[in-house]
Amino acid sequence: MTEATKKTATKAAKKVEDVANDNAIAQSAREFVKRTADTAKERTDAAYEGTAKFNANLETALTRMAGSYVSFLSGVADMAYRNANHTIDTAHKLAAARSISEATQIQADFVRETTQANFDQLRTAFEGAREMVGEATETVRDEASKAWNGVKKAA
């Protein structure tokens, strides 16, 4: 082999080696991009699932709170209706009273019964509202914590 042939062969081998190296680098870059995209996809999916669960639980909690509020308003309406009817019945009793002492007793009974009934009704309504707000708050806090942890893991 002549010196020129050796140089040409060396140059050709070098070019083949350069092309092979470039191909290996390109292949490594493609695999790196693919792995990075797969990881980003997994994290995006996990964040979306966490958000979807959080939204569903938040919707449930808010629906329950709205239901409790409606129940509270219904209870107030019922209480007002009962009070009005009790007042009307008491007015009939007072009209039928035969003496001042009987009228005074009817009035005292009315005040006592109305106060006790209203107190019981309001206590029940407020206890229900307090429990519902407590449950909703706990649900939102737990779900927000789960969603935050899911986002931290996804990142």
Short mmCIF file of all heavy atoms in Angstrom, two decimals, residues 67-130:
data_model
loop_
_atom_site.label_atom_id
_atom_site.label_comp_id
_atom_site.label_asym_id
_atom_site.label_seq_id
_atom_site.Cartn_x
_atom_site.Cartn_y
_atom_site.Cartn_z
N GLY A 67 -76.67 22.05 50.53
CA GLY A 67 -77.81 21.31 51.06
C GLY A 67 -78.07 21.64 52.51
O GLY A 67 -79.21 21.80 52.94
N SER A 68 -77.00 21.77 53.28
CA SER A 68 -77.16 22.14 54.69
C SER A 68 -77.73 23.54 54.83
O SER A 68 -78.56 23.80 55.70
CB SER A 68 -75.82 22.06 55.41
OG SER A 68 -75.40 20.73 55.49
N TYR A 69 -77.27 24.43 53.99
CA TYR A 69 -77.78 25.81 54.03
C TYR A 69 -79.27 25.83 53.70
O TYR A 69 -80.06 26.50 54.37
CB TYR A 69 -76.99 26.69 53.06
CG TYR A 69 -77.43 28.12 53.06
CD1 TYR A 69 -77.22 28.93 54.17
CD2 TYR A 69 -78.06 28.68 51.95
CE1 TYR A 69 -77.62 30.25 54.19
CE2 TYR A 69 -78.47 29.99 51.96
CZ TYR A 69 -78.24 30.78 53.07
OH TYR A 69 -78.65 32.09 53.07
N VAL A 70 -79.66 25.06 52.69
CA VAL A 70 -81.07 24.98 52.32
C VAL A 70 -81.88 24.37 53.46
O VAL A 70 -82.97 24.84 53.78
CB VAL A 70 -81.25 24.18 51.00
CG1 VAL A 70 -82.70 23.86 50.74
CG2 VAL A 70 -80.67 24.96 49.84
N SER A 71 -81.33 23.34 54.09
CA SER A 71 -82.02 22.74 55.24
C SER A 71 -82.16 23.74 56.37
O SER A 71 -83.20 23.79 57.04
CB SER A 71 -81.24 21.51 55.73
OG SER A 71 -81.27 20.50 54.78
N PHE A 72 -81.12 24.53 56.61
CA PHE A 72 -81.17 25.55 57.64
C PHE A 72 -82.28 26.56 57.33
O PHE A 72 -83.08 26.91 58.20
CB PHE A 72 -79.82 26.25 57.77
CG PHE A 72 -79.82 27.40 58.72
CD1 PHE A 72 -79.79 27.19 60.08
CD2 PHE A 72 -79.88 28.70 58.25
CE1 PHE A 72 -79.79 28.25 60.98
CE2 PHE A 72 -79.89 29.77 59.13
CZ PHE A 72 -79.85 29.55 60.50
N LEU A 73 -82.31 27.02 56.09
CA LEU A 73 -83.35 27.98 55.70
C LEU A 73 -84.74 27.37 55.81
O LEU A 73 -85.70 28.04 56.24
CB LEU A 73 -83.11 28.48 54.27
CG LEU A 73 -81.89 29.37 54.08
CD1 LEU A 73 -81.77 29.77 52.61
CD2 LEU A 73 -81.95 30.60 54.96
N SER A 74 -84.86 26.10 55.46
CA SER A 74 -86.14 25.41 55.59
C SER A 74 -86.55 25.33 57.06
O SER A 74 -87.72 25.53 57.40
CB SER A 74 -86.03 24.01 54.98
OG SER A 74 -87.23 23.30 55.16
N GLY A 75 -85.57 25.05 57.91
CA GLY A 75 -85.84 25.00 59.35
C GLY A 75 -86.30 26.35 59.89
O GLY A 75 -87.22 26.43 60.72
N VAL A 76 -85.68 27.41 59.41
CA VAL A 76 -86.09 28.76 59.83
C VAL A 76 -87.52 29.05 59.36
O VAL A 76 -88.34 29.59 60.11
CB VAL A 76 -85.10 29.83 59.29
CG1 VAL A 76 -85.63 31.23 59.49
CG2 VAL A 76 -83.75 29.67 59.97
N ALA A 77 -87.83 28.66 58.12
CA ALA A 77 -89.19 28.85 57.61
C ALA A 77 -90.20 28.04 58.43
O ALA A 77 -91.28 28.54 58.77
CB ALA A 77 -89.26 28.47 56.14
N ASP A 78 -89.85 26.80 58.75
CA ASP A 78 -90.72 25.96 59.58
C ASP A 78 -90.93 26.60 60.96
O ASP A 78 -92.05 26.62 61.49
CB ASP A 78 -90.14 24.56 59.76
CG ASP A 78 -90.17 23.73 58.50
OD1 ASP A 78 -90.90 24.11 57.55
OD2 ASP A 78 -89.45 22.71 58.46
N MET A 79 -89.86 27.11 61.52
CA MET A 79 -89.94 27.73 62.84
C MET A 79 -90.85 28.97 62.78
O MET A 79 -91.69 29.16 63.66
CB MET A 79 -88.54 28.13 63.32
CG MET A 79 -88.52 28.70 64.73
SD MET A 79 -86.84 29.04 65.32
CE MET A 79 -86.30 30.29 64.18
N ALA A 80 -90.70 29.76 61.74
CA ALA A 80 -91.54 30.95 61.60
C ALA A 80 -93.01 30.56 61.45
O ALA A 80 -93.90 31.18 62.04
CB ALA A 80 -91.08 31.78 60.41
N TYR A 81 -93.27 29.51 60.68
CA TYR A 81 -94.64 29.04 60.49
C TYR A 81 -95.23 28.55 61.81
O TYR A 81 -96.37 28.89 62.17
CB TYR A 81 -94.65 27.92 59.44
CG TYR A 81 -96.01 27.31 59.21
CD1 TYR A 81 -96.99 27.99 58.50
CD2 TYR A 81 -96.30 26.04 59.70
CE1 TYR A 81 -98.23 27.44 58.29
CE2 TYR A 81 -97.54 25.47 59.50
CZ TYR A 81 -98.51 26.17 58.78
OH TYR A 81 -99.74 25.62 58.58
N ARG A 82 -94.45 27.73 62.53
CA ARG A 82 -94.93 27.24 63.83
C ARG A 82 -95.17 28.39 64.81
O ARG A 82 -96.16 28.40 65.55
CB ARG A 82 -93.93 26.24 64.42
CG ARG A 82 -94.03 24.85 63.81
CD ARG A 82 -93.27 23.81 64.61
NE ARG A 82 -91.89 24.17 64.87
CZ ARG A 82 -90.87 23.90 64.05
NH1 ARG A 82 -91.11 23.26 62.92
NH2 ARG A 82 -89.65 24.25 64.36
N ASN A 83 -94.26 29.36 64.81
CA ASN A 83 -94.42 30.51 65.70
C ASN A 83 -95.68 31.30 65.36
O ASN A 83 -96.42 31.73 66.27
CB ASN A 83 -93.20 31.43 65.64
CG ASN A 83 -92.02 30.88 66.39
OD1 ASN A 83 -92.15 29.95 67.17
ND2 ASN A 83 -90.85 31.45 66.14
N ALA A 84 -95.92 31.50 64.07
CA ALA A 84 -97.12 32.25 63.67
C ALA A 84 -98.38 31.51 64.11
O ALA A 84 -99.31 32.12 64.66
CB ALA A 84 -97.12 32.46 62.16
N ASN A 85 -98.40 30.20 63.87
CA ASN A 85 -99.58 29.41 64.28
C ASN A 85 -99.73 29.37 65.80
O ASN A 85 -100.85 29.46 66.32
CB ASN A 85 -99.52 28.00 63.72
CG ASN A 85 -99.91 27.95 62.26
OD1 ASN A 85 -100.77 28.72 61.83
ND2 ASN A 85 -99.28 27.08 61.50
N HIS A 86 -98.61 29.26 66.51
CA HIS A 86 -98.67 29.25 67.96
C HIS A 86 -99.18 30.60 68.48
O HIS A 86 -99.97 30.65 69.43
CB HIS A 86 -97.28 28.93 68.53
CG HIS A 86 -97.27 28.67 69.99
ND1 HIS A 86 -96.46 29.36 70.85
CD2 HIS A 86 -97.98 27.80 70.77
CE1 HIS A 86 -96.66 28.94 72.08
NE2 HIS A 86 -97.58 27.98 72.05
N THR A 87 -98.76 31.68 67.84
CA THR A 87 -99.22 33.02 68.23
C THR A 87 -100.71 33.17 67.97
O THR A 87 -101.46 33.70 68.82
CB THR A 87 -98.43 34.10 67.46
OG1 THR A 87 -97.03 33.93 67.74
CG2 THR A 87 -98.86 35.50 67.85
N ILE A 88 -101.17 32.66 66.83
CA ILE A 88 -102.60 32.74 66.51
C ILE A 88 -103.41 31.91 67.51
O ILE A 88 -104.46 32.37 68.01
CB ILE A 88 -102.85 32.29 65.05
CG1 ILE A 88 -102.24 33.32 64.09
CG2 ILE A 88 -104.33 32.10 64.78
CD1 ILE A 88 -102.15 32.84 62.66
N ASP A 89 -102.92 30.70 67.80
CA ASP A 89 -103.61 29.86 68.79
C ASP A 89 -103.66 30.54 70.17
O ASP A 89 -104.67 30.49 70.86
CB ASP A 89 -102.92 28.49 68.92
CG ASP A 89 -103.09 27.62 67.68
OD1 ASP A 89 -103.99 27.93 66.86
OD2 ASP A 89 -102.32 26.64 67.54
N THR A 90 -102.57 31.19 70.52
CA THR A 90 -102.53 31.89 71.81
C THR A 90 -103.50 33.06 71.81
O THR A 90 -104.17 33.33 72.84
CB THR A 90 -101.09 32.37 72.11
OG1 THR A 90 -100.23 31.23 72.14
CG2 THR A 90 -101.01 33.09 73.45
N ALA A 91 -103.61 33.74 70.68
CA ALA A 91 -104.57 34.85 70.60
C ALA A 91 -105.99 34.33 70.81
O ALA A 91 -106.79 34.97 71.50
CB ALA A 91 -104.44 35.55 69.25
N HIS A 92 -106.30 33.16 70.23
CA HIS A 92 -107.62 32.56 70.46
C HIS A 92 -107.82 32.22 71.94
O HIS A 92 -108.90 32.45 72.50
CB HIS A 92 -107.80 31.30 69.61
CG HIS A 92 -108.06 31.57 68.16
ND1 HIS A 92 -109.24 32.09 67.71
CD2 HIS A 92 -107.28 31.38 67.07
CE1 HIS A 92 -109.18 32.22 66.40
NE2 HIS A 92 -108.00 31.80 65.99
N LYS A 93 -106.78 31.65 72.56
CA LYS A 93 -106.88 31.31 73.98
C LYS A 93 -107.06 32.56 74.83
O LYS A 93 -107.86 32.57 75.78
CB LYS A 93 -105.63 30.56 74.45
CG LYS A 93 -105.52 29.15 73.92
CD LYS A 93 -104.21 28.52 74.41
CE LYS A 93 -103.96 27.16 73.80
NZ LYS A 93 -102.68 26.59 74.21
N LEU A 94 -106.32 33.62 74.49
CA LEU A 94 -106.45 34.87 75.26
C LEU A 94 -107.85 35.47 75.11
O LEU A 94 -108.41 36.01 76.06
CB LEU A 94 -105.40 35.90 74.82
CG LEU A 94 -103.98 35.65 75.31
CD1 LEU A 94 -103.01 36.61 74.63
CD2 LEU A 94 -103.90 35.79 76.82
N ALA A 95 -108.40 35.34 73.91
CA ALA A 95 -109.75 35.87 73.69
C ALA A 95 -110.78 35.10 74.50
O ALA A 95 -111.82 35.66 74.89
CB ALA A 95 -110.10 35.81 72.20
N ALA A 96 -110.49 33.83 74.79
CA ALA A 96 -111.42 33.01 75.56
C ALA A 96 -111.16 33.07 77.06
O ALA A 96 -111.93 32.48 77.83
CB ALA A 96 -111.35 31.56 75.08
N ALA A 97 -110.10 33.76 77.48
CA ALA A 97 -109.76 33.83 78.91
C ALA A 97 -110.86 34.54 79.68
O ALA A 97 -111.45 35.52 79.22
CB ALA A 97 -108.43 34.55 79.10
N ARG A 98 -111.14 34.05 80.89
CA ARG A 98 -112.22 34.59 81.72
C ARG A 98 -111.71 35.56 82.80
O ARG A 98 -112.51 36.25 83.41
CB ARG A 98 -112.96 33.44 82.40
CG ARG A 98 -113.56 32.47 81.43
CD ARG A 98 -114.91 32.99 80.97
NE ARG A 98 -115.55 32.00 80.12
CZ ARG A 98 -116.08 32.30 78.96
NH1 ARG A 98 -116.04 33.51 78.50
NH2 ARG A 98 -116.67 31.37 78.25
N SER A 99 -110.37 35.54 82.99
CA SER A 99 -109.85 36.43 84.03
C SER A 99 -108.45 36.91 83.64
O SER A 99 -107.81 36.36 82.75
CB SER A 99 -109.79 35.70 85.37
OG SER A 99 -108.82 34.68 85.33
N ILE A 100 -108.00 37.93 84.36
CA ILE A 100 -106.66 38.46 84.13
C ILE A 100 -105.61 37.41 84.49
O ILE A 100 -104.63 37.25 83.77
CB ILE A 100 -106.43 39.74 84.99
CG1 ILE A 100 -107.35 40.86 84.55
CG2 ILE A 100 -104.98 40.18 84.95
CD1 ILE A 100 -106.97 41.50 83.23
N SER A 101 -105.82 36.67 85.55
CA SER A 101 -104.83 35.66 85.95
C SER A 101 -104.76 34.54 84.90
O SER A 101 -103.67 34.03 84.60
CB SER A 101 -105.14 35.10 87.33
OG SER A 101 -106.36 34.41 87.33
N GLU A 102 -105.89 34.17 84.35
CA GLU A 102 -105.88 33.14 83.29
C GLU A 102 -105.17 33.67 82.05
O GLU A 102 -104.36 32.96 81.44
CB GLU A 102 -107.32 32.73 82.93
CG GLU A 102 -107.38 31.58 81.92
CD GLU A 102 -108.81 31.19 81.55
OE1 GLU A 102 -109.78 31.71 82.13
OE2 GLU A 102 -108.94 30.33 80.65
N ALA A 103 -105.41 34.91 81.67
CA ALA A 103 -104.74 35.53 80.51
C ALA A 103 -103.24 35.64 80.76
O ALA A 103 -102.42 35.38 79.86
CB ALA A 103 -105.33 36.90 80.24
N THR A 104 -102.86 36.00 81.98
CA THR A 104 -101.44 36.09 82.33
C THR A 104 -100.78 34.72 82.24
O THR A 104 -99.65 34.60 81.73
CB THR A 104 -101.28 36.67 83.76
OG1 THR A 104 -101.93 37.94 83.83
CG2 THR A 104 -99.82 36.83 84.12
N GLN A 105 -101.46 33.69 82.69
CA GLN A 105 -100.91 32.33 82.61
C GLN A 105 -100.77 31.89 81.15
O GLN A 105 -99.76 31.29 80.77
CB GLN A 105 -101.79 31.34 83.38
CG GLN A 105 -101.23 29.93 83.45
CD GLN A 105 -99.87 29.89 84.12
OE1 GLN A 105 -99.66 30.50 85.16
NE2 GLN A 105 -98.95 29.16 83.52
N ILE A 106 -101.76 32.21 80.34
CA ILE A 106 -101.69 31.87 78.90
C ILE A 106 -100.49 32.57 78.26
O ILE A 106 -99.73 31.97 77.49
CB ILE A 106 -103.01 32.24 78.19
CG1 ILE A 106 -104.14 31.31 78.67
CG2 ILE A 106 -102.85 32.16 76.68
CD1 ILE A 106 -105.53 31.74 78.22
N GLN A 107 -100.31 33.85 78.59
CA GLN A 107 -99.18 34.62 78.04
C GLN A 107 -97.85 34.04 78.52
O GLN A 107 -96.93 33.89 77.74
CB GLN A 107 -99.30 36.09 78.46
CG GLN A 107 -98.18 36.98 77.94
CD GLN A 107 -98.14 37.07 76.42
OE1 GLN A 107 -99.16 36.91 75.74
NE2 GLN A 107 -96.96 37.30 75.89
N ALA A 108 -97.74 33.70 79.78
CA ALA A 108 -96.50 33.13 80.32
C ALA A 108 -96.20 31.78 79.65
O ALA A 108 -95.04 31.50 79.29
CB ALA A 108 -96.61 32.97 81.83
N ASP A 109 -97.21 30.95 79.48
CA ASP A 109 -97.03 29.66 78.80
C ASP A 109 -96.56 29.87 77.36
O ASP A 109 -95.68 29.17 76.87
CB ASP A 109 -98.32 28.85 78.81
CG ASP A 109 -98.71 28.34 80.20
OD1 ASP A 109 -97.85 28.39 81.10
OD2 ASP A 109 -99.88 27.93 80.36
N PHE A 110 -97.17 30.86 76.72
CA PHE A 110 -96.81 31.18 75.33
C PHE A 110 -95.33 31.55 75.24
O PHE A 110 -94.59 31.03 74.39
CB PHE A 110 -97.69 32.32 74.80
CG PHE A 110 -97.21 32.88 73.49
CD1 PHE A 110 -97.42 32.21 72.31
CD2 PHE A 110 -96.53 34.10 73.45
CE1 PHE A 110 -96.98 32.72 71.10
CE2 PHE A 110 -96.09 34.61 72.25
CZ PHE A 110 -96.31 33.93 71.07
N VAL A 111 -94.89 32.45 76.08
CA VAL A 111 -93.49 32.91 76.05
C VAL A 111 -92.55 31.73 76.34
O VAL A 111 -91.55 31.54 75.64
CB VAL A 111 -93.27 34.06 77.05
CG1 VAL A 111 -91.78 34.38 77.21
CG2 VAL A 111 -94.03 35.30 76.61
N ARG A 112 -92.85 30.95 77.35
CA ARG A 112 -92.00 29.81 77.71
C ARG A 112 -91.93 28.80 76.57
O ARG A 112 -90.85 28.36 76.17
CB ARG A 112 -92.52 29.15 78.99
CG ARG A 112 -91.69 27.97 79.47
CD ARG A 112 -92.22 27.34 80.77
NE ARG A 112 -93.66 27.30 80.93
CZ ARG A 112 -94.48 26.43 80.33
NH1 ARG A 112 -94.00 25.51 79.53
NH2 ARG A 112 -95.79 26.47 80.54
N GLU A 113 -93.07 28.41 76.04
CA GLU A 113 -93.11 27.40 74.97
C GLU A 113 -92.42 27.89 73.70
O GLU A 113 -91.67 27.14 73.06
CB GLU A 113 -94.57 27.03 74.66
CG GLU A 113 -95.25 26.26 75.77
CD GLU A 113 -96.76 26.17 75.59
OE1 GLU A 113 -97.29 26.71 74.59
OE2 GLU A 113 -97.41 25.57 76.46
N THR A 114 -92.67 29.14 73.35
CA THR A 114 -92.05 29.70 72.14
C THR A 114 -90.54 29.80 72.29
O THR A 114 -89.78 29.42 71.38
CB THR A 114 -92.65 31.09 71.83
OG1 THR A 114 -94.05 30.95 71.63
CG2 THR A 114 -92.02 31.69 70.58
N THR A 115 -90.11 30.28 73.44
CA THR A 115 -88.67 30.40 73.68
C THR A 115 -88.00 29.04 73.63
O THR A 115 -86.95 28.87 72.98
CB THR A 115 -88.42 31.07 75.05
OG1 THR A 115 -89.04 32.35 75.05
CG2 THR A 115 -86.94 31.23 75.32
N GLN A 116 -88.57 28.06 74.28
CA GLN A 116 -87.97 26.72 74.30
C GLN A 116 -87.96 26.11 72.90
O GLN A 116 -86.95 25.54 72.47
CB GLN A 116 -88.73 25.80 75.27
CG GLN A 116 -88.10 24.43 75.44
CD GLN A 116 -86.70 24.50 76.02
OE1 GLN A 116 -86.46 25.23 76.97
NE2 GLN A 116 -85.78 23.77 75.43
N ALA A 117 -89.06 26.22 72.18
CA ALA A 117 -89.14 25.65 70.83
C ALA A 117 -88.12 26.33 69.90
O ALA A 117 -87.43 25.65 69.13
CB ALA A 117 -90.55 25.80 70.27
N ASN A 118 -88.02 27.64 69.96
CA ASN A 118 -87.07 28.36 69.11
C ASN A 118 -85.63 28.01 69.48
O ASN A 118 -84.79 27.81 68.60
CB ASN A 118 -87.28 29.87 69.22
CG ASN A 118 -88.53 30.33 68.51
OD1 ASN A 118 -89.09 29.62 67.69
ND2 ASN A 118 -88.98 31.54 68.84
N PHE A 119 -85.36 27.94 70.77
CA PHE A 119 -84.01 27.58 71.22
C PHE A 119 -83.63 26.19 70.71
O PHE A 119 -82.54 26.00 70.18
CB PHE A 119 -83.93 27.64 72.75
CG PHE A 119 -82.58 27.28 73.27
CD1 PHE A 119 -81.54 28.20 73.23
CD2 PHE A 119 -82.34 26.02 73.79
CE1 PHE A 119 -80.27 27.86 73.70
CE2 PHE A 119 -81.08 25.68 74.27
CZ PHE A 119 -80.05 26.61 74.23
N ASP A 120 -84.51 25.23 70.86
CA ASP A 120 -84.23 23.87 70.39
C ASP A 120 -84.02 23.82 68.88
O ASP A 120 -83.10 23.17 68.39
CB ASP A 120 -85.36 22.92 70.79
CG ASP A 120 -85.44 22.67 72.29
OD1 ASP A 120 -84.46 22.98 73.01
OD2 ASP A 120 -86.50 22.18 72.76
N GLN A 121 -84.89 24.51 68.16
CA GLN A 121 -84.80 24.52 66.70
C GLN A 121 -83.49 25.16 66.23
O GLN A 121 -82.80 24.63 65.37
CB GLN A 121 -86.00 25.27 66.10
CG GLN A 121 -86.02 25.33 64.59
CD GLN A 121 -86.29 24.00 63.95
OE1 GLN A 121 -86.93 23.14 64.54
NE2 GLN A 121 -85.81 23.81 62.75
N LEU A 122 -83.15 26.30 66.81
CA LEU A 122 -81.92 26.98 66.41
C LEU A 122 -80.68 26.18 66.81
O LEU A 122 -79.71 26.12 66.04
CB LEU A 122 -81.87 28.38 67.02
CG LEU A 122 -82.84 29.39 66.41
CD1 LEU A 122 -82.82 30.69 67.19
CD2 LEU A 122 -82.50 29.63 64.95
N ARG A 123 -80.70 25.56 67.98
CA ARG A 123 -79.56 24.75 68.41
C ARG A 123 -79.35 23.59 67.42
O ARG A 123 -78.23 23.33 66.98
CB ARG A 123 -79.77 24.21 69.82
CG ARG A 123 -78.55 23.42 70.31
CD ARG A 123 -78.72 22.85 71.70
NE ARG A 123 -79.87 21.96 71.71
CZ ARG A 123 -80.75 21.90 72.71
NH1 ARG A 123 -80.62 22.67 73.76
NH2 ARG A 123 -81.76 21.05 72.65
N THR A 124 -80.42 22.92 67.05
CA THR A 124 -80.32 21.82 66.10
C THR A 124 -79.79 22.30 64.74
O THR A 124 -78.90 21.67 64.15
CB THR A 124 -81.70 21.15 65.91
OG1 THR A 124 -82.14 20.67 67.17
CG2 THR A 124 -81.63 20.00 64.93
N ALA A 125 -80.31 23.43 64.29
CA ALA A 125 -79.88 23.97 62.99
C ALA A 125 -78.41 24.36 63.02
O ALA A 125 -77.64 24.05 62.10
CB ALA A 125 -80.74 25.16 62.61
N PHE A 126 -77.99 25.04 64.07
CA PHE A 126 -76.60 25.48 64.15
C PHE A 126 -75.64 24.31 64.34
O PHE A 126 -74.54 24.32 63.80
CB PHE A 126 -76.41 26.52 65.25
CG PHE A 126 -76.89 27.89 64.85
CD1 PHE A 126 -77.88 28.51 65.58
CD2 PHE A 126 -76.37 28.53 63.75
CE1 PHE A 126 -78.35 29.76 65.22
CE2 PHE A 126 -76.82 29.80 63.38
CZ PHE A 126 -77.81 30.40 64.12
N GLU A 127 -76.04 23.30 65.08
CA GLU A 127 -75.19 22.12 65.24
C GLU A 127 -75.00 21.42 63.89
O GLU A 127 -73.90 21.00 63.55
CB GLU A 127 -75.78 21.15 66.26
CG GLU A 127 -75.61 21.60 67.69
CD GLU A 127 -76.32 20.70 68.70
OE1 GLU A 127 -76.97 19.72 68.28
OE2 GLU A 127 -76.21 20.98 69.90
N GLY A 128 -76.08 21.30 63.14
CA GLY A 128 -75.99 20.70 61.81
C GLY A 128 -75.10 21.51 60.89
O GLY A 128 -74.26 20.95 60.15
N ALA A 129 -75.26 22.82 60.92
CA ALA A 129 -74.44 23.68 60.07
C ALA A 129 -72.97 23.61 60.49
O ALA A 129 -72.08 23.53 59.63
CB ALA A 129 -74.94 25.12 60.15
N ARG A 130 -72.72 23.59 61.79
CA ARG A 130 -71.34 23.52 62.27
C ARG A 130 -70.69 22.21 61.85
O ARG A 130 -69.54 22.19 61.40
CB ARG A 130 -71.31 23.66 63.79
CG ARG A 130 -69.90 23.68 64.36
CD ARG A 130 -69.92 23.65 65.84
NE ARG A 130 -70.74 22.49 66.22
CZ ARG A 130 -70.99 22.13 67.45
NH1 ARG A 130 -70.53 22.82 68.43
NH2 ARG A 130 -71.73 21.08 67.71
#
